[in-house]
Amino acid sequence: MLLLALPIALMVRLRIPMIDKLLLAVGKMAGGLAALGLLLHWLVAANNLVLSLLFVIVLFVMAAFVAVAESRQPRGRVLLPLLAGSALSVVVVSLWFLVLVMGLKNPFEATKLIPVCGFMAAAVALTNGKALGAYYAGLYAHHQLYDYMIGNGATHAEATAHFQRRAFERAIAPLLSRMAMCVVPLGCFVAWTMILVGATPLQAVLFEGLMVVAMLAAAVLSLFIAIVVGRRYAFDKYEQLKNKK
């Protein structure tokens, strides 16, 4: 906490009116980390499969709700698609990573399963809300283009391809930036942390790269599932756009 005195002193010296915001942010961070630390300590100590799976469910449900808020679309239209996408992508990609990449015989060990699922859920939450929002916003803003293409013999997949491409671009761009940051040592947060806790440099950088790739896969898979599942909420049985609510 002594290190916190430095930014506070500079704010006072430079008369920057943000001390209250800083203290509020620190308080929220401390409270959140304390709650998370206690919960994770309990889960790791118990190392119970049912409890770990319940926590994984909480993670992808939270990811879906964060994505819903980011999408700025009616909850009834995007909640179930995002829940389906988050659940399947987090579970499938996490187990793939744990078994085939890390080579674990028991992928359900709490100390391995929960952190990896947390990374995947974060990737889904931070990218797919805005991506799915862009997809639906494009459809309703340019619905005449969609209707024109359908009216001229295009299939549903062909008519929605442009809007899907925009959505995937919105989902992929942040993670591509994350990949690019790995070129600069300051962007390799996971690698530095692993070295601090005793991993070899080679293990750390390999894990960093593989984790970023897995997060990209989780985000893309989740968005694809959400778009497929969401068709019934955006289109009627004649493949016409439903009225925007």
Side-chain angles (χ1 to χ4, degrees), residues 55-68:
F55 188 72
V56 170
I57 292 172
V58 171
L59 285 176
F60 66 65
V61 169
M62 289 177 62
F65 274 92
V66 170
V68 169

Side-chain angles (χ1 to χ4, degrees), residues 47 49 52 98 104 106-115:
N47 197 23
L49 176 60
S52 296
L98 289 165
L104 298 179
N106 178 20
F108 298 104
E109 185 179 344
T111 55
K112 305 296 190 299
L113 177 68
I114 292 174

Side-chain angles (χ1 to χ4, degrees), residues 120-185:
M120 302 309 146
V124 170
L126 297 176
T127 61
N128 285 8
K130 292 180 180 179
L132 199 63
Y135 172 70
Y136 284 114
L139 278 174
Y140 283 101
H142 305 287
H143 64 89
Q144 290 180 337
L145 173 60
Y146 173 83
D147 293 339
Y148 173 81
M149 294 178 70
I150 290 292
N152 282 274
T155 64
H156 173 79
E158 291 170 340
T160 56
H162 167 71
F163 306 104
Q164 290 179 5
R165 185 163 53 250
R166 287 188 59 207
F168 278 100
E169 288 173 354
R170 290 292 296 271
I172 292 172
L175 292 169
L176 292 184
S177 298
R178 181 75 183 87
M179 284 184 178
M181 282 294 293
C182 290
V183 177
V184 182

Side-chain angles (χ1 to χ4, degrees), residues 68-80:
V68 169
E70 291 287 332
S71 72
R72 298 184 180 180
Q73 294 293 314
R75 183 175 297 180
R77 179 187 302 146
V78 298
L79 178 57
L80 287 179

